[in-house]
Amino acid sequence: MNEGIMTVRRIVKTRPGGSGYRLMVDKLVVREGDRIALVGQSGSGKSTLLDMMAMVLKPDRLGRGGEFTWNLDGVTLDVWNSWKRGGASAREKIRRSHLGYVLQSGGLFPFLNLRDNILLSAWLKKNPKGRRAESALMELAAKLNIGHLLRKLPGNVSVGERQRAAVARAIIHRPKLILADEPTASLDPPTAEKVMELLIELSEGTALVMSTHDEVRARKFGFEIHRIVVEDEGPRRGIKAMLFKDSRLPGKMPANIRNR
Amino acid sequence: MAPIIYVSIKLALKRYKRDWLFAMCFIFSVMALLVPLLTVMGLRDGIIGTLSERLISDPSNLEIVPEGVRDYDLAFFQNLENDPDVRFVIPNTRNFAFTLALGKPGYNTKRVAARSTKKGDPILDYVEPAVGNEEVGLFDIYPSKTVAEFFDAKPGDTLTVTVSRTLNGYLETQNLDLAVKGIIPLWALGDQDNSMMLANLQLLEKIERYFEDRPVPELGWPGNRMETYPARYQTFRLYASELDAVERLRVRFERGGLIVKTSAKEIANVKSLDSAFTVVFFTLLCVVGGGAFASAVSGSIDQVAKNRKSLACLNLLGMGKFHLQIFTSVQVTISGLIAAVGACGFYLVVAKILNEVFYGKMRDVAEVCRLSPEKLLISVGIVVIFMTLASFYANKSLSDIEPSEGMRDV
């Protein structure tokens, strides 16, 4: 059953590296215009979950009744089965066309100036020569106040300016969903505030899923909090971390999950 | 698909522009391998090529001269004409020492050796002015430069041949006007007598018939011996189709009991030199090719390792492994192209220096080092293809790049 752009039910993933414990997502549905913040302690698996949502990391397994689907304009991609069938090109196409990314330190390419870094998303989505992308760039650059920096390389601008360019790159191709991995973690508070404001303003109507430690700011900007809870003493089958919507947060992991 | 390849190439070019210093190091390392290879190729083509051309361009080197006389019928020549090793063959008149008295008003008579010719004769390729591949008319002659100078004859002039025979103690004479169509340079004559001329075989046969007291009604010459017999010949003039064919024909003739004279020894010397250069060239090619491949592979692996995060991030943004491969390979290909073109430029400088240093020091070789533009172009193409293949091979390391690496940082 598809309820939104992306639906994840009962997927399990062993976190790569670190403690290697398993993360379980019981239910996460992303609809158009949603603002979802993934919070949790460091190493809890926020980025792992973002990787899975971006379809760059394969879940280990689906629990009973589980699903992992993308629903785009009435067409459903069964992501879980696409991994089995080697549907790399379908996943790549969704990443090019319907996903935007804001990474912790911008994720800009050092060999491209800000203009090309921003336009890259538009090039990858459609016709690289499109003029519409150019006018969208100018509009975004003006709003983000980086118009005067477009010819500069990422290494020659401040961290805040880089992050604003990253926001522009995530938005310019009008994606359905923006994934932001701690987008303000490396910024000072005033800059972080400004970048968040711009991200919220410019991504109006687009779903935004963000991992963050800054729960206060996330609440301030209207994000629905989803928390990854890690138990010190895990249940039998190694599942120590689970994602819960904050409003449904239980005191402990439910016994039915623990014994699954 | 196509626009993404376009993006891959576009990104590669932008990346290349930023990373020019590394690219220059790579380019110079490849050029250092290519310039000596091109130079050896140039020396091979310069020295061996010139010697071979000389051998080929001098028709006497392709000529096979039978020693002594034998009896040949027309079938013998028809077989040879169909032989792929034979470029041209023509029988000589029965009397090999066939000399005729040539004259021109105001000049003394000169006795010249008359040899038969026809369309396709290699010697006719070198007459002045060029006659092209025309049929040789019945009354056309091609005197050697020696004969032409004796009569101050030019193409278009007329020389008169006087044919005499003694019958029953009486001297009978016939005169025939012949048109000079071209002059044979002496160098094209090889071992032939310098005082000679080429004339239509049928004309020489008619003259021979007159000598033998047989009638030649076409020319209005009388004769008493009316009997006829099939055409027979005692010698011939034969040119091989190529240098290698000379030795093949020599062996075949000698197996058939016919001793022939050839330039096989000179040809063998050049071939031996050619083989030696070829061995040197291919040895160098293997060493240089291996080096260039290793250089391209290591350069590509280094590129992938250094840009792992960028490549992972591009993968995250939706560029597939194939497009990443294009992204990295284009950079190596551009370097290969610049290195190949640069190496050709350096080679031309080296060739010019070598040609000036050795000018006039090697007999028969005007340029010791030379490569045709086509060969230089082919070399550039091979290097570019080779580099691209090497980078594709090296880019196997792209397969373990995970786009999730790009989520972390670039």
Side-chain angles (χ1 to χ4, degrees), chain A residues 10-239:
Chain A
R10 296 175 188 271
I11 61 170
V12 177
K13 177 69 187 174
T14 304
R15 285 197 62 252
S19 54
Y21 61 73
R22 288 186 196 168
L23 165 71
M24 178 160 184
V25 179
D26 199 39
K27 182 182 179 186
L28 177 63
V29 179
V30 183
R31 298 177 185 83
E32 274 185 29
D34 272 358
R35 300 273 183 267
I36 294 172
L38 305 174
V39 297
Q41 64 190 66
S42 289
S44 59
K46 300 186 294 294
S47 297
T48 301
L49 180 52
L50 285 180
D51 286 349
M52 285 195 286
M53 293 172 78
M55 298 171 292
V56 297
L57 204 59
K58 184 187 172 191
D60 293 345
R61 64 183 170 87
L62 251 64
R64 192 178 303 153
E67 72 169 296
F68 183 4
T69 53
W70 267 80
N71 191 355
L72 296 162
D73 304 323
V75 179
T76 301
L77 172 71
D78 185 338
V79 178
W80 172 249
N81 280 320
S82 88
W83 282 108
K84 289 184 189 167
R85 291 195 304 263
S89 65
R91 295 193 298 273
E92 281 159 8
K93 191 175 177 189
I94 290 181
R95 290 209 296 274
R96 282 200 301 271
S97 305
H98 302 297
L99 269 175
Y101 306 91
V102 184
L103 307 181
Q104 196 168 337
S105 63
L108 301 181
F109 296 96
F111 54 90
L112 296 177
N113 60 26
L114 295 193
R115 175 188 172 279
D116 292 340
N117 259 300
I118 296 168
L119 282 175
L120 179 59
S121 293
W123 294 342
L124 286 169
K125 183 174 183 180
K126 275 197 171 172
N127 183 356
K129 292 178 182 170
R131 286 185 184 170
R132 199 176 297 171
E134 196 74 37
S135 62
L137 166 72
M138 299 319 293
E139 193 182 324
L140 278 172
K143 284 181 181 170
L144 290 160
N145 195 26
I146 52 170
H148 59 297
L149 303 171
L150 291 178
R151 299 281 163 196
K152 294 201 169 189
L153 291 174
N156 297 334
V157 299
S158 71
V159 180
E161 289 162 342
R162 272 207 295 271
Q163 208 61 350
R164 277 184 273 164
V167 168
R169 187 179 71 182
I171 288 166
I172 192 166
H173 59 306
R174 292 272 153 229
K176 299 270 188 195
L177 169 62
I178 296 171
L179 299 175
D181 191 7
E182 303 192 31
T184 57
S186 54
L187 305 175
D188 58 76
T191 311
E193 194 77 4
K194 184 68 186 165
V195 167
M196 278 304 294
E197 275 175 22
L198 290 166
L199 182 58
I200 294 296
E201 180 194 335
L202 296 172
S203 64
E204 186 65 39
T206 304
L208 176 59
V209 177
M210 169 180 77
S211 72
T212 184
H213 288 286
D214 194 346
E215 197 175 326
V216 174
R217 184 174 288 123
R219 285 185 191 282
K220 180 184 168 188
F221 283 99
F223 280 82
E224 184 180 273
I225 304 295
H226 285 238
R227 191 178 307 278
I228 295 178
V229 177
V230 180
E231 282 201 334
D232 289 339
E233 292 178 14
R236 269 184 304 178
R237 297 182 70 175
I239 295 173

Side-chain angles (χ1 to χ4, degrees), chain B residues 294-326:
Chain B
S295 175
V297 168
S298 60
S300 296
I301 289 173
D302 184 52
Q303 282 287 306
V304 171
K306 278 203 304 196
N307 298 296
R308 200 173 171 85
K309 288 281 184 188
S310 290
L311 291 165
C313 198
L314 283 171
N315 201 192
L316 174 69
L317 293 181
M319 275 178 71
K321 294 284 165 66
F322 172 72
H323 298 112
L324 295 182
Q325 186 133 41
I326 297 285

Side-chain angles (χ1 to χ4, degrees), chain B residues 43-225:
Chain B
L43 287 171
R44 179 174 175 271
D45 275 23
I47 297 171
I48 307 301
T50 309
L51 291 176
S52 296
E53 277 166 21
R54 288 286 165 94
L55 281 171
I56 294 165
S57 64
D58 182 351
S60 65
N61 287 314
L62 292 171
E63 186 174 4
I64 292 173
V65 181
E67 295 195 331
V69 295
R70 285 176 69 169
D71 189 45
Y72 306 105
D73 58 9
L74 274 177
F76 174 82
F77 295 104
Q78 280 162 1
N79 282 339
L80 283 175
E81 276 174 355
N82 295 327
D83 191 320
D85 280 345
V86 176
R87 175 180 169 186
F88 177 82
V89 62
I90 191 166
N92 283 321
T93 43
R94 283 190 294 284
N95 183 355
F96 183 64
F98 197 86
T99 55
L100 295 173
L102 269 186
K104 184 179 174 182
Y107 292 84
N108 289 331
T109 301
K110 182 173 177 63
R111 293 197 70 79
V112 300
R115 297 284 176 270
S116 51
T117 189
K118 65 178 178 182
K119 179 183 172 183
D121 190 335
I123 293 182
L124 296 186
D125 290 347
Y126 305 101
V127 301
E128 294 159 0
V131 291
N133 196 21
E134 290 175 7
E135 292 290 347
V136 178
L138 187 63
F139 302 108
D140 293 344
I141 57 165
Y142 297 90
S144 68
K145 193 169 177 61
T146 303
V147 175
E149 281 174 351
F150 182 86
F151 293 113
D152 290 326
K154 299 181 294 297
D157 285 359
T158 300
L159 296 177
T160 305
V161 64
T162 302
V163 185
S164 305
R165 67 181 180 193
T166 306
L167 279 178
N168 304 321
Y170 293 98
L171 182 68
E172 288 184 9
T173 305
Q174 301 289 347
N175 290 321
L176 200 57
D177 287 344
L178 303 174
V180 176
K181 300 295 283 186
I183 314 294
I184 305 169
L186 293 182
W187 62 263
L189 291 175
D191 287 343
Q192 310 276 350
D193 190 339
N194 283 355
S195 289
M196 65 86 75
M197 68 171 186
L198 292 177
N200 190 307
L201 173 64
Q202 290 172 8
L203 176 71
L204 298 184
E205 285 180 329
K206 290 178 199 306
I207 293 171
E208 200 171 43
R209 272 163 57 193
Y210 179 73
F211 285 152
E212 293 168 351
D213 190 23
R214 287 189 284 128
V216 185
E218 306 93 302
L219 300 178
W221 295 345
N224 297 310
R225 294 171 60 191

Side-chain angles (χ1 to χ4, degrees), chain B residues 223-239:
Chain B
N224 297 310
R225 294 171 60 191
M226 302 305 286
E227 76 275 19
T228 58
Y229 49 83
R232 310 292 298 184
Y233 305 93
Q234 291 180 331
T235 64
F236 55 86
R237 196 155 55 86
L238 184 147
Y239 296 88

